[in-house]
Amino acid sequence: QVQVMETGGGVVLSGGSLRLSCTVSGLTTEDSAMGWFRQAPGKEREGVGCIAWGDEAKYYPDSVKGRFTVSRAHGTHTLDLQMNGLEPEDTAMYYCAAGEYFKACTWDPTNFIRWGQGTQVTVSS
């Protein structure tokens, strides 16, 4: 049974940093694109980082590029999201997700088949 669990959310002041971690079991994460998404109240779920299987290429949307870094620790089935320079607009529930085996990174949430329950990030001004 596949399980995905995020940890590390919390409340931080504007300009601060947080590191989210995702632990996956029951899945060969190295053969899957792994992504971080977020969803704020009243808004659609959006991707904020994705690491590809194989070449480990990393992708970010313009909204977080240069501030967020996704990393994967091989052999531990974990995926981290380092977030620096946080702004109130980054406030959202953050989710970790695993794609189907051997599929490319994408910002379409429907292409990710396993999701965690999410962890809340709140940035106060």
Side-chain angles (χ1 to χ4, degrees), residues 3 34 39 42 46 57 81 84 93 96 100 103 108:
Q3 291 186 322
M34 295 294 300
Q39 189 166 19
E46 64 170 342
L81 181 69
N84 300 324
M93 186 71 79
C96 175
E100 294 185 66
K103 296 291 186 180
D108 183 353

Side-chain angles (χ1 to χ4, degrees), residues 3-121:
Q3 291 186 322
V4 180
M5 185 174 68
E6 306 93 341
T7 57
V11 180
V12 64
L13 292 175
S14 181
S17 299
L18 279 176
R19 188 177 185 89
L20 307 183
S21 290
C22 171
T23 302
V24 182
S25 60
L27 185 71
T28 305
T29 56
E30 287 84 356
D31 293 336
S32 303
M34 295 294 300
W36 283 98
F37 289 77
R38 68 185 180 187
Q39 189 166 19
K43 295 188 177 181
E44 293 185 353
R45 191 166 294 192
E46 64 170 342
V48 295
C50 185
I51 186 165
W53 71 275
D55 64 2
E56 300 287 295
K58 300 174 184 180
Y59 302 91
Y60 306 95
D62 289 342
S63 58
V64 306
K65 197 172 291 183
R67 300 189 299 124
F68 289 14
T69 302
V70 62
S71 60
R72 182 186 352 227
H74 288 285
T76 63
H77 300 290
T78 61
L79 181 77
D80 289 344
L81 181 69
Q82 177 67 40
M83 304 184 293
N84 300 324
L86 285 163
E87 304 164 350
E89 293 73 24
D90 296 315
T91 295
M93 186 71 79
Y94 282 70
Y95 299 90
C96 175
E100 294 185 66
Y101 284 146
F102 312 121
K103 296 291 186 180
C105 273
T106 172
W107 298 130
D108 183 353
T110 63
N111 289 333
F112 289 79
I113 59 172
R114 297 284 186 258
W115 292 83
Q117 293 299 309
T119 185
Q120 178 68 36
V121 171

